[in-house]
Amino acid sequence: MTRQLRLELRRPGSFSRRDFITGPSNAQAIAALDLWPAWPGGALALFGPAGIGKTHLAREWATRANAVVLDRLAPDVAAAAGRPVLLEDVDQGVDNEALFHLINMAAREGGGLLLTAREAPVAWRTELPDLPSRLHALLVAEIEEPDDEVLEGVLKKFFRERSIRAPKEVYPYLLRRMERSIPYAREIVKRLDEAADDEQRPISRILARQILEDDSENLDLFDG
């Protein structure tokens, strides 16, 4: 029998606050962002692991603050004059002199600066002698590894984006056994969707176990 062509029914992504899954692991970061525009020195550094939601929160802030989003490799400092600024992935490489000027400009009237990175500012490598002291003085907020509340929320969100209503028992099963990261949550939902479609089976705890066991076997082979 010829299998029907698969129809992708994913919902478009959104950077709105209502679409961000909140929980204890990101509560501090959200509270710090909501202090805007009362950040000390006008600047905040938001940091945490890759795929944890930094960009989502940062872009929501940028919309709310009417901020200009700069390219970290070639930031246009002149375009930032008198406006809030978002600069992402700063610890992945940035023009140090431009960063120094942006931090100084953040406290001026109409200014502001949100920086995102995987590591805290004290760990960023710098070439300018005066920059480390500025980095050490930044207000910081960390998004920690996702807790159960956040992981379950993002699993449900990723299923909704694929127009899937997964059985309730799938969530606690996955939470006890899956890798605890948001990128993996997205991947496991994708693979459950594809496996259910390929095998013409409903998404279930049994299918979830099959995929997780396949992962475990592949990891054992790789380690061996």
Side-chain angles (χ1 to χ4, degrees):
M1 182 182 293
T2 304
R3 189 162 60 86
Q4 271 189 315
L5 287 175
R6 192 152 174 271
L7 225 103
E8 295 287 351
L9 296 173
R10 300 183 202 175
R11 301 179 184 180
S14 166
F15 288 134
S16 73
R17 177 68 67 86
R18 69 176 178 272
D19 291 321
F20 186 80
I21 309 301
T22 62
S25 59
N26 54 40
Q28 183 218 6
I30 291 171
L33 282 164
D34 286 345
L35 288 174
W36 166 260
W39 296 339
L44 172 70
L46 179 67
F47 71 98
I52 205 73
K54 298 186 298 295
T55 289
H56 189 131
L57 287 176
R59 296 290 172 146
E60 187 274 336
W61 171 84
T63 298
R64 180 159 42 99
N66 192 28
V68 58
V69 181
L70 297 185
D71 179 350
R72 65 179 173 84
L73 296 178
D76 184 354
V77 175
R83 289 191 62 185
V85 174
L86 169 60
L87 195 63
E88 293 204 77
D89 301 320
V90 177
D91 58 342
Q92 303 303 302
V94 67
D95 182 319
N96 280 198
E97 187 172 346
L99 178 58
F100 179 81
H101 289 304
L102 288 170
I103 292 173
N104 288 341
M105 292 165 60
R108 299 175 188 170
E109 185 177 354
L113 178 62
L114 176 59
L115 305 168
T116 72
R118 296 181 187 179
E119 296 183 304
V122 293
W124 300 353
R125 285 184 297 222
T126 63
E127 299 165 0
L128 289 180
D130 293 333
L131 186 54
S133 62
R134 300 292 197 282
L135 297 179
H136 289 208
L138 287 172
L139 176 67
V140 298
E142 180 180 9
I143 303 183
E144 300 173 353
E145 294 285 0
D147 52 80
D148 279 359
E149 187 176 338
V150 169
L151 272 181
E152 182 172 349
V154 298
L155 284 169
K156 289 178 177 178
K157 178 174 182 276
F158 295 150
F159 277 124
R160 282 197 305 271
E161 288 174 352
R162 292 174 174 269
S163 300
I164 296 169
R165 181 174 293 177
K168 290 181 179 178
E169 63 269 20
V170 167
Y171 297 105
Y173 185 84
L174 287 173
L175 289 173
R176 289 194 298 270
R177 294 165 176 84
M178 63 182 279
E179 177 187 311
R180 302 189 65 78
S181 79
I182 292 175
Y184 187 81
R186 185 186 296 277
E187 178 64 18
I188 201 75
V189 168
K190 174 177 178 287
R191 291 172 61 192
L192 279 166
D193 184 17
E194 292 174 347
D197 182 70
D198 290 343
E199 301 175 25
Q200 295 295 287
R201 296 167 57 187
I203 289 175
S204 64
R205 190 172 70 172
I206 293 172
L207 187 59
R209 182 178 68 187
Q210 175 185 316
I211 289 174
L212 291 173
E213 286 176 350
D214 286 347
D215 278 357
S216 179
E217 289 173 9
N218 290 337
L219 184 60
D220 289 344
L221 285 170
F222 182 78
D223 289 343

